[in-house]
Amino acid sequence: MDNSLNLSEQTLSKIDEVVPKYPEKRSAALMVIHLVQDELGAVNDKACEWIAQRLELQPINIKELITFYPMLRDKPWGRKHVRVCRTLPCALRGSYATCKTFEKKLGVKEGQVREDGEYSLEFMECLADCGQGPVVIVDEQTYENIEGESAEKFAELLLDGKLEGGEEFKSYEESLNQGS
Amino acid sequence: MSEQSPKERRIILKHTDDPAYSNRISSYLGVGGYENLKKAFGMKPEEVAEEVLKSGVRGRGGAGFPAGMKWKFLDRKSGKPIYLICNADESEPGTFKDRQIMYKDPHQLIEGMMIAAYAIGAKQAFIYIRAEFHEGARILNRAIDEAKAGGYCGENILGSEYSCDLVVHRGAGAYICGEETGLIESLEGKRPNPRIKPPYFPAVLGLYQCPTIVNNVETLCNVRHIVEMGGEEFSKIGKPNNTGTRIWCVSGQVMKPGYYEFECGALTLGQMIFDVCGGLRPGRTLKAVIPGGSSAKVLRADERFSGSLKDGTAFDWGLEDIPLDFDGPMAAGSMSGSGGIIVMDDTVDIVEAMANINAFYAHESCGQCTPCREGSLWMRKITQRMCSGGAREEDADLLLSVANQIEGRTICAFGEAAAWPTQSFVTKFKDDFIKKATDSQEERNPKSLQLI
Ligand SMILES: Cc1cc2nc3c(=O)[nH]c(=O)nc-3n(C[C@H](O)[C@H](O)[C@H](O)COP(=O)(O)O)c2cc1C
Ligand code: SF4
Ligand code: FES
């Protein structure tokens, strides 16, 4: 198989690992798309063609997934992608205000990427952590109770690159006991 | 993390919030993990299935269908391979229980799944997990590797002839993948357009048109405890027809939102809100509660519910008296659904809450059925207009008529899920909808809580 997408060895071997797990190749479509999107940031037409060939499908079989699923993209988000939960339980705890604060502080409108490509902001539907809303996901880390003043502080730390690993906001993932 | 309430009976969440308990296999083995898999493998598969049937355990994903009965519907005559799928899409707004299990105690799910797989004779098993659970998928994959190394999963489980691989499959942010036939289409690598029943009952024509069992995360964890206790003993927890515990997820405007595990029927909705969750914020009064995820019909705080239960006993309840089990919220004209209780106090603008919910369903309709695709968009547009200064008195009736034209006219139950909120909000809070039109419709107060 050609490597016209210039995917890393790691991604290619992960793809080779995931495809045979399924009784039918087509079932691996979402998983392969995730792997490609994780590396390239988006799955454009060329990537659709490549994935289709890898799974012995037509490009449209991949394209129709990219255009359907909210988390699949044909253009990349910003280098840091911020997701805010919009759905009722989080809204009841102030998520609309949180999103507005982020728009102001990060200088980007909801649903868009900042011109310099640094940040993007997206309203999401329920993230299944409604007891601790408003819920915010930055890349792959989930932060809880981000409202009012704490949303301001949160955005400032994010802008300063001091959010991750900082003491102020521990993500849900960081606070798990993952043993050793 | 939720502070545990003293009255809880934690079976599924027994260890999840113990700071010393990790999500690794060492922790799980330390509390008797995989002993029940051994016990199950000492029984015949149909004996295990019989215990599940006897337990009376009902599905925790939303519909509350008895798991043992569903397993009985499997088409075994076809001779096709059988598949087991764990529905870990957890996407019903207000629900966050499966997350706790998968992130904090993944081996409990794996043990439950391997017991279920053995009982139904599955050739392969899948966990369909929503893509937002990035770390959750990694945790499950690591746990599966640990379980395989221990011989609890994969090839020749516990040295027996039986093998069953377990694969974690990630979705990509679409709510409709929680609907079991949409999930199956998605797992086949297609758009998650739900299939029509009949004929596509998963137990007969599921994954690759083979017999398939789809169960929720919490349901499959219960299987492990049913094997431990025996179906008979398990059925004594809770109430008849409402057996076992349930993990209730409380969100919205209470002092202590969180997840709480109780025996079915052990407490009322009022006790949950005012005792367990510490009540409302100071000075607030209760306005409305959605008892089973956003698809469930809303309950009005001053409503009365009366009638007779399945066993013939008459009831006359206020909202606070509704027992928290499967049948209570159902008797009150709503449902316990996925166990997501959303609480709204008197500061909430009901029309905005409705607009928020309608925006969700308009965003998530798969688009196959005209009434659902068009109707959900209309309901969103109308309520959004009502909240931006363009409300009309006739909008309440218009909304209701759109919702009524969706219900019962669609391929999957998403149609009902989208129609029920509108039908109940508009009927029960008609005054609020009318008032929206008759009040002066200047700019919204920028200080008030924005929901749309
Ligand atoms: C629109 C819609 C969304 C659903 N979402 C979920 C979900 O996120 N998780 C889930 O377990 N079940 C969900 N269900 C229910 C599933 O279709 C199915 O009934 C359930 O997974 C069966 O498992 P159980 O019998 O163990 O409850 C949904 C149903 C509908 C109609
Ligand atoms: S009811 Fe809605 S979600 Fe379900 S199949 Fe029809 S259009 Fe799709
Ligand atoms: S509503 Fe925000 S996590 Fe569920």
Side-chain angles (χ1 to χ4, degrees), chain A residues 85-96 130 133-134 147, chain B residues 251-254 281 284 288-290 341-345 347-350 352-354 356-357 425 449-452:
Chain A
C85 177
R86 185 209 69 85
T87 316
L88 188 61
C90 279
L92 287 168
R93 300 226 144 215
S95 67
Y96 272 80
C130 333
E147 55 175 329
Chain B
S251 64
Q253 293 163 315
V254 290
R281 289 174 187 165
R284 310 268 181 104
V289 180
I290 304 175
I341 301 171
I342 306 170
V343 180
M344 289 173 265
D345 68 28
T347 61
V348 170
D349 179 328
I350 281 294
E352 286 209 8
M354 175 88 276
N356 181 293
I357 292 176
F425 269 81
L449 183 66
Q450 185 183 354
L451 300 177
I452 190 69

Side-chain angles (χ1 to χ4, degrees), chain B residues 59-61 70 87 89-91 175 178-180 214-216 219 413-414:
Chain B
R60 266 56 173 166
K70 188 189 280 190
N87 189 342
D89 197 54
E90 185 148 82
S91 45
Y175 167 66
E179 196 283 333
E180 56 187 10
V214 183
N215 274 131
N216 170 261
T219 315
F414 180 103

Side-chain angles (χ1 to χ4, degrees), chain B residues 205-223:
Chain B
L205 295 170
L207 187 62
Y208 313 122
Q209 303 300 335
C210 296
T212 303
I213 291 296
V214 183
N215 274 131
N216 170 261
V217 172
E218 189 186 348
T219 315
L220 288 164
C221 289
N222 271 305
V223 170

